Amino acid sequence: AQKITQTQPGMFVQEKEAVTLDCTYDTSDQSYGLFWYKQPSSGEMIFLIYQGSYDEQNATEGRYSLNFQKARKSANLVISASQLGDSAMYFCAMSDNYGQNFVFGPGTRLSVLP
Amino acid sequence: EAQVTQNPRYLITVTGKKLTVTCSQNMNHEYMSWYRQDPGLGLRQIYYSMNVEVTDKGDVPEGYKVSRKEKRNFPLILESPSPNQTSLYFCASGNRFRDISSGANVLTFGAGSRLTVL
């Protein structure tokens, strides 16, 4: 069975600083996908970034990058130059080999301080 | 506008009274799925569908049913709701991320439906 662990229930970061949100995963699949989603206080779920298990380069999307360490089974999200609008809940998720079955972590609440 | 629409957004009901939460997407996605979100547990997948008439159980399917008669619609049915099904429910549809061979479905979520069962 797949499992996602996010050990940081809450994080604080100063505006304009970088922050790393931790995510570790467990799976027996050889092929899988890793995702990060953002949930602002308004409640919607927003896709941020994707990393395939066979991708050798770390994924980047604007200020977001995914630090993928396959041997450690970790997929940490790095947000550079934090903004007040980055304050939200962040979920790490993974999909199975076929991209059908999704498992989410419990989330990390990030608060950006002015 | 590309979107996933869920209804109702808020519902208070009583134990045993059948209810349906509708979900519709206008992006022609083949993949659709349902999740429930509970504090401290993140989102848990209830059911998913790879295409019309093709559905499969997620991690927490007990007490729920789904159907996929049309590509755009994927309703969630609670035949006999119980208080432990009080939760925030999300419907999502998915499309392949950039490379179709990657196998990854990037999810577009609906706004959520907050259900309370008394």
Side-chain angles (χ1 to χ4, degrees):
Chain A
Q2 298 178 316
K3 184 178 179 180
I4 295 284
T5 301
Q6 294 179 255
T7 58
Q8 306 153 314
M11 291 273 290
F12 290 91
V13 65
Q14 208 68 39
E15 193 179 8
K16 301 180 185 176
E17 299 285 312
V19 63
T20 298
L21 306 184
D22 294 341
C23 172
T24 58
Y25 62 91
D26 191 22
T27 181
S28 56
D29 289 344
Q30 295 300 308
S31 175
Y32 48 88
L34 295 159
F35 305 78
W36 279 91
Y37 286 86
K38 173 183 178 182
Q39 186 179 42
S41 57
S42 51
E44 73 267 32
M45 294 286 291
I46 303 166
F47 166 72
L48 295 179
I49 196 165
Y50 161 76
Q51 177 87 38
S53 59
Y54 288 115
D55 294 340
E56 294 184 352
Q57 287 195 322
N58 287 341
T60 60
E61 295 281 351
R63 294 186 299 110
Y64 304 107
S65 60
L66 197 152
N67 185 359
F68 181 45
Q69 298 189 45
K70 195 170 185 177
R72 294 186 175 187
K73 294 189 174 181
S74 73
N76 298 340
L77 177 70
V78 181
I79 305 175
S80 63
S82 296
Q83 303 171 355
L84 295 178
D86 293 335
S87 293
M89 194 75 154
Y90 288 82
F91 293 99
C92 180
M94 72 182 302
S95 65
D96 62 7
N97 185 35
Y98 304 100
Q100 300 173 16
N101 192 265
F102 281 81
V103 174
F104 285 74
T108 295
R109 184 170 298 281
L110 177 67
S111 299
V112 180
L113 305 174
Chain B
E1 179 189 357
Q3 60 186 0
V4 177
T5 304
Q6 295 178 227
N7 281 297
R9 293 288 314 281
Y10 302 91
L11 180 63
I12 300 174
T13 190
V14 296
T15 299
K17 186 175 181 181
K18 180 180 178 179
L19 68 93
T20 298
V21 186
T22 63
C23 175
S24 180
Q25 51 100 358
N26 63 1
M27 295 166 281
N28 201 37
H29 288 167
E30 292 182 345
Y31 179 87
M32 297 186 75
S33 54
W34 275 101
Y35 303 83
R36 59 178 289 173
Q37 182 178 6
D38 301 290
L41 298 178
L43 281 76
R44 292 179 291 168
Q45 191 176 47
I46 303 171
Y47 270 95
Y48 60 90
S49 169
M50 284 305 294
N51 214 324
V52 175
E53 301 293 0
V54 181
T55 64
D56 209 345
K57 296 177 181 178
D59 290 334
V60 289
E62 296 78 19
Y64 305 95
K65 287 175 58 177
V66 292
S67 68
R68 188 92 182 270
K69 293 185 171 59
E70 306 166 283
K71 196 172 187 178
R72 63 182 293 125
N73 295 323
F74 190 45
L76 179 71
I77 303 156
L78 285 72
E79 293 270 3
S80 183
S82 62
N84 64 12
Q85 292 178 297
T86 292
S87 187
L88 177 60
Y89 290 86
F90 284 100
C91 178
S93 68
N95 66 314
R96 298 294 188 183
F97 181 76
R98 292 179 184 160
D99 179 2
I100 195 169
S101 67
S102 72
N105 277 308
V106 174
L107 301 176
T108 300
F109 285 86
S113 296
R114 187 166 291 283
L115 171 65
T116 302
V117 184
L118 302 176

